[in-house]
Coordinates of all heavy atoms in Angstrom, one line a residue:
I288 N -40.6 -4.1 -4.7 CA -39.6 -3.1 -4.4 C -38.9 -3.2 -3.1 O -37.7 -3.1 -2.9 CB -40.2 -1.7 -4.6 CG1 -40.8 -1.5 -5.9 CG2 -39.2 -0.6 -4.3 CD1 -41.7 -0.2 -6.1
L289 N -39.7 -3.6 -2.1 CA -39.2 -3.8 -0.7 C -38.2 -4.9 -0.7 O -37.2 -4.9 0.1 CB -40.4 -4.0 0.3 CG -41.2 -2.8 0.6 CD1 -42.5 -3.1 1.4 CD2 -40.3 -1.8 1.5
V290 N -38.5 -6.0 -1.4 CA -37.5 -7.1 -1.5 C -36.2 -6.6 -2.0 O -35.1 -7.0 -1.5 CB -38.1 -8.3 -2.3 CG1 -37.0 -9.3 -2.6 CG2 -39.3 -8.9 -1.7
I291 N -36.2 -5.8 -3.1 CA -34.9 -5.3 -3.6 C -34.2 -4.4 -2.6 O -33.0 -4.5 -2.4 CB -35.2 -4.5 -4.9 CG1 -35.9 -5.3 -6.0 CG2 -33.9 -3.9 -5.5 CD1 -36.4 -4.6 -7.2
V292 N -35.0 -3.5 -1.9 CA -34.4 -2.6 -0.9 C -33.8 -3.5 0.2 O -32.7 -3.2 0.7 CB -35.5 -1.7 -0.4 CG1 -35.0 -0.9 0.8 CG2 -36.0 -0.8 -1.5
F293 N -34.5 -4.5 0.7 CA -34.0 -5.3 1.8 C -32.7 -6.0 1.4 O -31.7 -5.9 2.1 CB -35.1 -6.4 2.1 CG -34.6 -7.3 3.2 CD1 -34.9 -6.9 4.5 CD2 -34.0 -8.5 3.0 CE1 -34.5 -7.8 5.6 CE2 -33.6 -9.3 4.0 CZ -33.8 -9.0 5.3
G294 N -32.7 -6.6 0.2 CA -31.4 -7.3 -0.2 C -30.3 -6.3 -0.4 O -29.1 -6.6 0.0
A295 N -30.5 -5.1 -1.0 CA -29.5 -4.2 -1.2 C -28.9 -3.7 0.1 O -27.6 -3.6 0.3 CB -30.0 -3.0 -2.0
I296 N -29.7 -3.4 1.1 CA -29.2 -2.9 2.4 C -28.6 -4.1 3.2 O -27.6 -3.9 3.9 CB -30.4 -2.3 3.2 CG1 -30.9 -1.0 2.5 CG2 -30.0 -1.9 4.6 CD1 -32.1 -0.4 3.1
L297 N -29.1 -5.3 3.0 CA -28.6 -6.4 3.8 C -27.1 -6.7 3.4 O -26.3 -6.9 4.3 CB -29.4 -7.7 3.5 CG -28.9 -9.0 4.1 CD1 -28.9 -8.9 5.6 CD2 -29.7 -10.2 3.7
I298 N -26.8 -6.7 2.1 CA -25.4 -6.9 1.7 C -24.5 -5.9 2.2 O -23.3 -6.1 2.6 CB -25.3 -7.1 0.1 CG1 -23.9 -7.6 -0.2 CG2 -25.6 -5.8 -0.6 CD1 -23.6 -9.0 0.2
L299 N -24.9 -4.6 2.2 CA -24.1 -3.5 2.8 C -23.9 -3.7 4.3 O -22.8 -3.6 4.8 CB -24.8 -2.2 2.5 CG -24.1 -1.0 3.0 CD1 -22.8 -0.7 2.3 CD2 -25.0 0.3 2.9
N300 N -25.0 -4.0 5.0 CA -24.8 -4.2 6.5 C -24.0 -5.5 6.8 O -23.3 -5.5 7.8 CB -26.2 -4.3 7.1 CG -26.9 -3.0 7.2 OD1 -26.2 -2.0 7.3 ND2 -28.2 -3.0 7.3
T301 N -24.1 -6.5 6.0 CA -23.3 -7.7 6.2 C -21.8 -7.4 6.1 O -21.0 -7.8 6.9 CB -23.6 -8.8 5.1 OG1 -25.0 -9.1 5.3 CG2 -22.8 -10.0 5.3
L302 N -21.4 -6.5 5.1 CA -20.0 -6.1 4.9 C -19.6 -5.2 6.0 O -18.4 -5.2 6.4 CB -19.9 -5.4 3.5 CG -19.9 -6.4 2.3 CD1 -19.9 -5.6 1.0 CD2 -18.6 -7.3 2.4
K303 N -20.5 -4.4 6.5 CA -20.1 -3.5 7.7 C -19.9 -4.4 8.9 O -18.9 -4.2 9.6 CB -21.3 -2.6 8.0 CG -21.4 -1.4 7.0 CD -22.5 -0.4 7.5 CE -22.6 0.8 6.6 NZ -23.6 1.7 7.1
S304 N -20.7 -5.4 9.2 CA -20.6 -6.2 10.4 C -19.4 -7.1 10.3 O -18.7 -7.4 11.3 CB -21.8 -7.0 10.6 OG -22.9 -6.2 10.8
S305 N -19.0 -7.6 9.1 CA -17.9 -8.5 8.9 C -16.6 -7.8 8.9 O -15.5 -8.4 9.1 CB -18.0 -9.3 7.6 OG -17.7 -8.4 6.5
G306 N -16.6 -6.4 8.8 CA -15.4 -5.7 8.7 C -14.9 -5.5 7.2 O -13.9 -4.8 7.0
G307 N -15.7 -6.1 6.3 CA -15.3 -5.9 4.9 C -15.3 -4.5 4.4 O -14.5 -4.1 3.6
M308 N -16.4 -3.7 4.8 CA -16.5 -2.4 4.3 C -15.3 -1.5 4.9 O -14.8 -0.6 4.2 CB -17.8 -1.8 4.8 CG -18.1 -0.4 4.2 SD -18.0 -0.4 2.3 CE -19.3 -1.5 1.9
S309 N -14.9 -1.8 6.1 CA -13.8 -1.1 6.7 C -12.5 -1.3 5.8 O -11.7 -0.4 5.6 CB -13.5 -1.5 8.1 OG -12.4 -0.9 8.6
I310 N -12.3 -2.6 5.4 CA -11.1 -2.9 4.5 C -11.2 -2.2 3.2 O -10.2 -1.7 2.7 CB -11.1 -4.4 4.3 CG1 -10.9 -5.1 5.7 CG2 -9.9 -4.8 3.4 CD1 -9.7 -4.8 6.5
I311 N -12.4 -2.1 2.6 CA -12.6 -1.4 1.3 C -12.3 0.0 1.5 O -11.6 0.6 0.6 CB -14.1 -1.6 0.9 CG1 -14.3 -3.1 0.4 CG2 -14.4 -0.7 -0.3 CD1 -15.8 -3.4 0.1
N312 N -12.7 0.6 2.6 CA -12.5 2.1 2.8 C -11.0 2.3 2.9 O -10.4 3.3 2.4 CB -13.2 2.5 4.1 CG -14.7 2.6 3.9 OD1 -15.2 2.6 2.7 ND2 -15.4 2.7 5.0
K313 N -10.3 1.5 3.7 CA -8.8 1.6 3.9 C -8.1 1.5 2.6 O -7.0 2.1 2.4 CB -8.3 0.6 4.9 CG -8.7 0.9 6.3 CD -8.1 -0.2 7.3 CE -8.5 0.1 8.7 NZ -8.0 -1.0 9.6
G314 N -8.6 0.7 1.7 CA -7.9 0.6 0.4 C -7.8 1.8 -0.4 O -7.0 1.9 -1.3
F315 N -8.7 2.8 -0.1 CA -8.7 4.1 -0.9 C -7.6 5.1 -0.3 O -7.3 6.1 -1.0 CB -10.0 4.7 -0.8 CG -11.1 4.0 -1.6 CD1 -12.2 3.4 -1.0 CD2 -10.9 3.9 -3.0 CE1 -13.1 2.8 -1.8 CE2 -11.9 3.2 -3.8 CZ -13.0 2.7 -3.1
S316 N -7.2 4.9 0.9 CA -6.5 5.9 1.6 C -5.1 6.3 1.1 O -4.6 7.4 1.3 CB -6.3 5.6 3.1 OG -5.6 4.3 3.2
N317 N -4.4 5.3 0.3 CA -3.1 5.6 -0.1 C -3.0 5.8 -1.7 O -1.9 5.6 -2.3 CB -2.2 4.4 0.3 CG -2.1 4.3 1.8 OD1 -2.0 5.3 2.5 ND2 -2.1 3.1 2.3
I318 N -4.1 6.1 -2.3 CA -4.1 6.2 -3.8 C -3.6 7.5 -4.2 O -2.7 7.6 -5.1 CB -5.6 6.0 -4.3 CG1 -6.0 4.5 -4.0 CG2 -5.6 6.2 -5.8 CD1 -7.5 4.3 -4.3
S319 N -4.0 8.6 -3.6 CA -3.6 9.9 -4.0 C -3.8 10.9 -2.9 O -4.7 10.7 -2.1 CB -4.4 10.4 -5.3 OG -4.1 11.8 -5.6
T320 N -2.9 12.0 -2.8 CA -3.1 13.0 -1.8 C -3.8 14.2 -2.3 O -4.0 15.2 -1.6 CB -1.7 13.3 -1.2 OG1 -0.9 13.8 -2.2 CG2 -1.1 12.2 -0.4
D321 N -4.0 14.3 -3.7 CA -4.6 15.5 -4.3 C -6.1 15.4 -4.0 O -6.8 14.4 -4.3 CB -4.4 15.5 -5.8 CG -4.8 16.8 -6.4 OD1 -6.0 17.1 -6.3 OD2 -4.0 17.5 -7.0
R322 N -6.7 16.4 -3.3 CA -8.1 16.3 -2.9 C -9.0 16.3 -4.1 O -10.1 15.7 -4.1 CB -8.4 17.6 -2.1 CG -7.6 17.8 -0.9 CD -7.6 16.6 0.0 NE -6.9 16.8 1.3 CZ -6.6 15.9 2.2 NH1 -7.0 14.7 2.0 NH2 -6.0 16.2 3.3
R323 N -8.6 16.8 -5.3 CA -9.5 16.8 -6.5 C -9.6 15.4 -7.0 O -10.6 15.0 -7.5 CB -8.9 17.7 -7.5 CG -8.9 19.2 -7.1 CD -8.0 20.1 -8.0 NE -6.6 19.7 -7.9 CZ -5.6 20.3 -8.5 NH1 -5.9 21.4 -9.2 NH2 -4.4 19.9 -8.4
V324 N -8.5 14.7 -6.9 CA -8.5 13.3 -7.4 C -9.3 12.4 -6.4 O -10.0 11.5 -6.8 CB -7.0 12.7 -7.5 CG1 -7.0 11.2 -7.8 CG2 -6.3 13.5 -8.6
Q325 N -9.1 12.6 -5.1 CA -9.7 11.8 -4.1 C -11.2 11.9 -4.2 O -12.0 10.9 -4.1 CB -9.3 12.3 -2.7 CG -7.8 11.9 -2.3 CD -7.4 12.4 -1.0 OE1 -8.0 13.4 -0.5 NE2 -6.4 11.8 -0.4
V326 N -11.7 13.2 -4.4 CA -13.2 13.4 -4.4 C -13.8 12.7 -5.6 O -14.9 12.2 -5.5 CB -13.5 14.9 -4.3 CG1 -13.3 15.6 -5.7 CG2 -15.0 15.0 -3.9
I327 N -13.1 12.7 -6.7 CA -13.6 12.0 -7.9 C -13.7 10.5 -7.8 O -14.6 9.9 -8.1 CB -12.8 12.4 -9.2 CG1 -13.0 13.9 -9.5 CG2 -13.2 11.6 -10.4 CD1 -14.4 14.4 -9.7
I328 N -12.6 10.0 -7.2 CA -12.5 8.5 -7.1 C -13.6 8.0 -6.1 O -14.3 7.1 -6.3 CB -11.1 8.0 -6.6 CG1 -10.1 8.3 -7.7 CG2 -11.1 6.6 -6.2 CD1 -8.7 7.9 -7.3
L329 N -13.7 8.7 -4.9 CA -14.6 8.2 -3.9 C -16.0 8.7 -4.1 O -17.0 7.9 -4.0 CB -14.1 8.8 -2.5 CG -12.8 8.1 -2.0 CD1 -12.3 8.8 -0.8 CD2 -13.1 6.7 -1.6

């Protein structure tokens, strides 16, 4: 179980450090301005 946990967190932290997660987050910002839609998508 710890090996799975390690790998899952590692890929997330790798994307955070590379800036990839920041780019993914920015991609959501211009989809809709309706808060009901935003909360469902995100």
Side-chain angles (χ1 to χ4, degrees):
I288 300 170
L289 285 167
V290 170
I291 300 171
V292 175
F293 180 87
I296 295 176
L297 177 63
I298 189 66
L299 179 67
N300 284 335
T301 299
L302 285 172
K303 281 183 177 180
S304 296
S305 74
M308 189 54 65
S309 175
I310 300 298
I311 289 172
N312 290 346
K313 285 180 179 179
F315 289 117
S316 60
N317 298 319
I318 295 170
S319 173
T320 56
D321 191 302
R322 304 305 188 185
R323 296 165 297 187
V324 173
Q325 289 176 340
V326 76
I327 293 302
I328 292 176
L329 288 170

